[in-house]
Amino acid sequence: MSSQDASVQPNTIAAKVYKSLRSDIINGFFPPGTHLVKRVIAKRYNVSVPPVIEACLRLENDGLVESSPLVGSFVPVITHEKLAEEHILREAI
């Protein structure tokens, strides 16, 4: 179990939000470029904001969310350059 997995237990609210938000991003409900407003997401999943923050941090570690200070969190737009860079990094590992 990685430290990332240990920070979000499987039955916590944050883990449930992570799983739902991850699915919504992958399935296109939140398409690339979408600004992820934590209050709106909390309302969507009927939870408070802190579990959403925790889920977004985990999704950021997974590469499914990008955050920028004073701007917020977004679903990243995947470009050919990012895919090529990711491929090079994976080959190096």
Side-chain angles (χ1 to χ4, degrees), residues 1 3-4 14 19-21 23 31-32 39 43 55 71 73-74 80-81 84-86 89-90 93:
M1 180 181 285
S3 62
Q4 179 177 316
K19 188 174 182 179
S20 296
L21 184 54
S23 176
R39 287 185 321 268
K43 187 173 182 179
V71 178
S73 299
F74 292 84
H80 290 291
E81 291 80 17
E85 181 181 307
E86 180 73 22
L89 289 173
R90 287 183 190 267
I93 293 173

Side-chain angles (χ1 to χ4, degrees), residues 3 9 12 14 19-21 25 29-30 32-33 37 40 48-49 57 60-61 71-74 76 83 91:
S3 62
Q9 297 302 316
T12 65
K19 188 174 182 179
S20 296
L21 184 54
I25 291 170
F29 183 84
F30 295 112
V37 180
V40 173
S48 61
V49 174
L57 288 172
E60 191 173 344
N61 286 333
V71 178
S73 299
F74 292 84
L83 286 175
E91 281 184 354

Side-chain angles (χ1 to χ4, degrees), residues 2 8-9 14 17 22-23 42 45 47 70 73 76-79 82 89-90 92:
S2 72
V8 181
Q9 297 302 316
V17 171
R22 182 180 187 279
S23 176
Y45 300 129
V47 299
L70 304 175
S73 299
V77 176
I78 305 300
T79 63
K82 282 186 181 181
L89 289 173
R90 287 183 190 267

